[in-house]
Structure formats: C-alpha cells, structure tokens
Amino acid sequence: MRQKTMQKAAFHVRRMKRLRMRRLILLKLSWDEVDWQKNFRMTKTSFLHLCDILRPSLTRQHTNFRSPLPVELRVAICLWRLATNLEYRAISHLFGIGISTACSVTQQVVTAINVVMKPLYIKTPSEAELMVIVQGFRDRWALPQVAGAIDGTHIGIMAPDENPLDYYNRKNVYSVILQGVVDNKMKFWDINVGCPGKVSDARVLINSSLYSRGENGTLFPSWTERLNNVDVPLHILGDAAYPLLPWLVKPFPEGNGLTQPQVNFNYRLRQARMTVERAFGRLRGRWRCLLKRCDAHISFVSHIISACCILHNYCETANEEWVDEEPADDVDDFVDSEIACCVFSRIVGEVSLPWCGTVKLCGGIPKPPCPH
C-alpha cells in the first residue's frame, strides 16, 4: 500500500514537471507578438529583457530534491497575475504548479521588481531629462517651466484588521491612495503609495517626500525663465485639491468672476494635467489587478502597486504599443502672453497684470487676480 502511494506521488511529480516544461515551451515558441501583448502587456523581446534584468535576484539553486522554476516561468506567472488579476488557483492549473507556489513566486518577483528596477525606472529626472520634459509640455500645451503633473487615485483593498475606518473612502470602499507625478510622456517619475483612502490628496502630498524636497528647494534645479520681467521657476501642475505652492500650480477657483485669460489658463492647465489621468488609465489598463479589489495583505499591497508603476514605465520606455490610446487633446491656440501672465500670478507674490492690476500675497500664498 505504501509503495503504491509513493508511486502515485512520483507520477504526480513527473506530471507536474512535464506540465511546467510544456508551458515554458509554449511561452517561448508558440505565440506571436499579438499574443505576447495580450497576455504579458509586452513583446517577447521586452519580456526576455525583463527576465535578464531580474535573473540575478530570481535564480534559485538546483538541489537533489528538486529543480527550481526557470526565471522565465517565474516572471510569466507574476505578469499573468498582475495583468489579469486571475485567482492563484487558476494560475496554478495554467502553469502546472501548486497554489502556494504561484503565490510565493508572485511575491518574490514583485519584491525583485521593486528592489532592482525601481531605482532605474522611477526617479527624479536629471537636468537633461528635465529640459526634455519642460520642452515637451511647452510644445504641446504652451505652458512654460512645467516639469510634470500630479494626481492621486484609489486602489481597492480588503478591509484591514487594524484601523479599517481609516481606509474607508468617500466612495464607500476600502482603498489605499497612489499619488503619482508624470512627465509629458506619461511616465511616473515620483510615486507615493499606501496612504489610507480616507486621507485627502493635499494631506497625502504633505506627508510625502515630494513635498519635503519641494519645500527645502531640492526637488528641482534653480532654473528660472524670464518672461515679462518675472522669473518663473520649474513647477508641476495639480488640480484644485492641492495647495498652491511656488513649485505647484493649480487652476484659478471656478466662478463667475474669472476673466477670459484666467478661463483660458484653466482650460490649458486641465488639458496638460490630463497627462497624469491618462497615465493612470494606462496603468490600470495594462495591470488589471489594480482595476478590482486587491486581495493581498495590506502590508504587501503597496509593493504590488509600486511594481505595476515600475512595469508601466518599463513598457513606456520600450515603446510598447497601447491599443486603448485616447484621442489627442484638442487645444486651441490661446494667446501665449495671457497664459504666461496667469502662470506668473499663480507663482510669484506680487506682479502687475495687464487685465486686473496687482496680485498680492495672503499668508504666503498668492491670491488669484480680482476681476474688474
């Protein structure tokens, strides 16, 4: 009886090994580029390059008891999970591995992506990169000195055991917040992940390292552009939920008192800030585990979200095709001098504007110009 049990176990092990090898051969040989894009959100070339980047961290030792899973199979398991949000039970059948193995492999690959690739793909732009970003925003939206756009999005989670009400947001779901800053090409160069869903966007910003660097003057180089006798510094664009800061510009408050140049400025700023909204859309579209509730433990949710942002940048850097591309923004050609003056009024403390006189500071934050 014992011998039969051992034979069955040995047969099961051999069968699982054959299944793994069959899946690996399928991944390597059978698919065309469309299949790779649909299942892994990248081409085969990008997939193999990703495996090479992670290989030193994911390679396991061969032993007399078992042969480790190949790095390509490990990466495939993780990408499949992130791209489809498929249950681990289904992934275990698909790749011929155990449920616990599917879970542990996903965690290992996510950790490796954060440790190895985050310093390479999510970092504050260098001076040369900033020049390209600023020129990109200027060419498309005619806004000077813009180094990025900031916004936040909610990622659904299971209710945590500790302080669950802190994660219960205004949409009546439990979530954590992803704050991202993107460049003109929709690539993240700063992220902050893990704040409870009940926290406001402004509070998330204040608690982030981005705010600390912005306030102490280490976020951007001290570049200024002289326009209409005013020095305009580098800054990022935010919506009305964010505070108005020397390095963060927001729209004028909506109302009937806005002048036409201010309305034009708000429109142009909204169009430029849609860059971060589109980046979030691509992020969720590629890595659909972020579209639904993330069932991982709260201590690991931030690692998964961060890994998805890194992989998003990896795909954008590799110029991976994105089929759900939105139509280009239809931006009218407003008078650039009017836009520039509105930028000045949101940044500097006091400046004479041609349409409404002088803007003055109030508690260190510029007031919007008063209408006639």
Side-chain angles (χ1 to χ4, degrees):
M1 185 68 178
R2 182 179 179 182
Q3 185 178 2
K4 289 183 179 180
T5 302
M6 294 179 63
Q7 289 176 350
K8 288 182 179 180
F11 172 80
H12 179 70
V13 170
R14 291 194 300 270
R15 179 175 178 271
M16 297 295 285
K17 184 177 181 180
R18 287 196 301 270
L19 284 172
R20 287 198 298 268
M21 295 307 298
R22 193 180 306 149
R23 296 297 180 185
L24 186 58
I25 293 173
L26 176 66
L27 292 177
K28 287 187 173 181
L29 301 177
S30 301
W31 286 351
D32 57 22
E33 293 299 338
V34 175
D35 292 325
W36 283 91
Q37 287 279 1
K38 287 182 178 179
N39 293 288
F40 293 127
R41 307 302 190 246
M42 61 185 71
T43 61
K44 181 179 179 181
T45 302
S46 297
F47 175 85
L48 295 178
H49 179 60
L50 177 63
C51 293
D52 291 337
I53 295 175
L54 300 176
R55 194 176 304 279
S57 299
L58 296 178
T59 301
R60 297 295 183 264
Q61 185 178 4
H62 287 263
T63 68
N64 295 329
F65 299 98
R66 56 134 177 92
S67 296
L69 295 177
V71 172
E72 290 79 4
L73 189 57
R74 291 174 178 272
V75 175
I77 292 169
C78 179
L79 294 186
W80 202 292
R81 166 68 175 176
L82 298 180
T84 64
N85 202 35
L86 198 63
E87 293 182 350
Y88 285 119
R89 179 180 289 103
I91 292 177
S92 69
H93 290 301
L94 183 64
F95 288 93
I97 58 176
I99 297 177
S100 61
T101 302
C103 181
S104 61
V105 165
T106 300
Q107 293 180 357
Q108 292 166 8
V109 176
V110 165
T111 301
I113 290 172
N114 280 283
V115 173
V116 177
M117 298 180 64
K118 188 173 183 179
L120 302 175
Y121 287 93
I122 297 184
K123 57 183 178 179
T124 302
S126 63
E127 292 188 0
E129 291 168 338
L130 275 174
M131 293 177 64
V132 175
I133 294 172
V134 170
Q135 191 62 43
F137 277 100
R138 185 193 305 274
D139 291 342
R140 185 164 186 181
W141 295 286
L143 291 174
Q145 295 291 83
V146 177
I150 185 173
D151 201 5
T153 186
H154 289 264
I155 308 297
I157 62 171
M158 295 190 302
D161 295 331
E162 297 183 3
N163 304 318
L165 292 181
D166 292 343
Y167 295 85
Y168 197 69
N169 63 29
R170 65 182 185 275
K171 297 181 180 179
N172 301 323
V173 296
Y174 296 94
S175 67
V176 295
I177 299 174
L178 165 62
Q179 174 188 276
V181 183
V182 304
D183 60 16
N184 60 305
K185 298 295 186 180
M186 293 181 283
K187 292 191 291 186
F188 295 96
W189 60 257
D190 184 89
I191 59 173
N192 182 275
V193 189
C195 282
K198 200 172 185 178
V199 180
S200 65
D201 287 346
R203 180 57 58 183
V204 174
L205 172 65
I206 292 174
N207 291 335
S208 67
S209 62
L210 179 74
Y211 182 84
S212 301
R213 287 181 289 153
E215 290 298 288
N216 61 30
T218 60
L219 180 60
F220 296 127
S222 56
W223 296 348
T224 58
E225 183 174 349
R226 191 76 173 177
L227 297 173
N228 289 8
N229 296 321
V230 177
D231 292 327
V232 181
L234 293 174
H235 57 275
I236 59 180
L237 304 177
D239 60 18
Y242 289 99
L244 182 62
L245 301 168
W247 50 272
L248 196 159
V249 174
K250 59 186 289 187
F252 288 99
E254 296 291 341
N256 296 327
L258 293 183
T259 63
Q260 188 59 45
Q262 293 169 358
V263 173
N264 295 346
F265 170 77
N266 282 359
Y267 175 77
R268 186 69 64 86
L269 186 147
R270 282 196 300 269
Q271 293 295 317
R273 205 189 61 79
M274 283 299 293
T275 305
V276 66
E277 300 286 354
R278 295 174 64 195
F280 284 143
R282 284 195 179 190
L283 175 71
R284 291 175 178 269
R286 275 196 177 108
W287 312 110
R288 295 182 177 270
C289 64
L290 304 181
L291 278 176
K292 301 178 181 179
R293 187 186 70 178
C294 183
D295 293 335
H297 191 269
I298 186 64
S299 61
F300 198 68
V301 167
S302 297
H303 297 277
I304 293 175
I305 300 172
S306 176
C308 291
C309 293
I310 296 167
L311 291 172
H312 166 85
N313 279 11
Y314 177 80
C315 292
E316 291 295 321
T317 302
N319 295 319
E320 294 294 341
E321 183 181 0
W322 177 243
V323 295
D324 292 335
E325 180 66 74
E326 298 177 3
D329 300 325
D330 182 16
V331 181
D332 296 331
D333 291 329
F334 296 128
V335 179
D336 290 343
S337 61
E338 294 180 349
I339 298 296
C341 288
C342 285
V343 174
F344 304 154
S345 69
R346 306 305 284 162
I347 297 176
V348 300
E350 180 172 340
V351 58
S352 180
L353 299 178
W355 58 85
C356 61
T358 300
V359 178
K360 293 185 178 180
L361 283 172
C362 178
I365 297 178
K367 285 183 177 180
C370 299
H372 288 297

